Amino acid sequence: MDRAQKEKVVEELGQIFESSGVVVVAHYAGLTVAEMQDLRSQMREAGGSVRVAKNKLAKIALEGKPAASIADYLTGMTVLAYSEDPVAAAKVMDAYAKTNEKLDILGGAMGEDALDKAGVKAVAAMPSREELIASIAGCIGAPASNIAGAIGAPASNIASILSTVEDKAA
């Protein structure tokens, strides 16, 4: 890799560290190509990405970035998982680490907040952005459906009473 390519990688990594909601660092020694492709596809489905980069270049890219706290984790064979959604990357990495012992989560960063292994697991346990939006929409919609039911109830009660009276008269 020549100097221009290294500078391009550092710039790309810098943008990742700045714009991502969460960055998770893990050791991936022993993962097969198929397992890594599986991890990448799961991450893509969740709206995140997986990146393997030289630790030295990643450390250079981290300088002055909010996620600078993860520099200590960048030793050995590391993989970076990141997503704009502050929960997606952590969820996928945690779930994949449970099924594959070769993936060892070291820690990560959520904005300027450093996360250790337990912190990544705690973030993974949180509801995703879509789940929160659905929950809020459900809470907002529930009173409206209750009001509609209350408004419609007297009319249906009257119709039921009239039907009963009609049946008795016949």
Side-chain angles (χ1 to χ4, degrees):
M1 192 183 291
D2 68 348
R3 185 173 182 83
Q5 289 173 321
K6 288 180 182 178
E7 288 175 359
K8 184 178 177 188
V9 168
V10 168
E11 184 179 325
E12 289 172 1
L13 289 172
Q15 289 174 349
I16 289 168
F17 294 138
E18 263 186 53
S19 65
S20 297
V22 68
V23 179
V24 180
V25 182
H27 280 155
Y28 70 99
L31 282 179
T32 64
V33 173
E35 291 169 333
M36 188 60 108
Q37 287 176 336
D38 183 40
L39 175 62
R40 288 178 194 272
S41 68
Q42 288 181 27
M43 191 64 73
R44 233 184 338 267
E45 289 172 13
S49 296
V50 175
R51 177 85 188 245
V52 176
K54 290 190 173 212
N55 293 332
K56 190 170 189 170
L57 296 179
K59 286 179 181 179
I60 292 169
L62 277 168
E63 291 175 9
K65 302 293 187 281
S69 59
I70 66 171
D72 296 337
Y73 297 127
L74 297 174
T75 57
M77 294 179 62
T78 55
V79 62
L80 302 170
Y82 55 94
S83 64
E84 285 184 31
D85 181 350
V87 179
K91 273 188 184 280
V92 172
M93 290 296 279
D94 185 50
Y96 198 81
K98 287 178 183 174
T99 62
N100 194 325
E101 296 174 1
K102 297 172 195 165
L103 185 72
D104 180 32
I105 297 174
L106 302 174
M110 186 180 228
E112 293 183 7
D113 299 326
L115 302 172
D116 59 357
K117 191 173 190 170
V120 172
K121 286 186 182 285
V123 169
M126 294 169 60
S128 70
R129 181 176 171 185
E130 287 77 22
E131 292 169 344
L132 285 174
I133 290 171
S135 173
I136 291 169
C139 290
I140 291 170
S145 67
N146 290 343
I147 290 171
I151 291 171
S156 68
N157 287 344
I158 291 172
S160 173
I161 292 169
L162 290 175
S163 173
T164 306
V165 169
E166 186 179 306
D167 290 342
K168 285 184 180 180

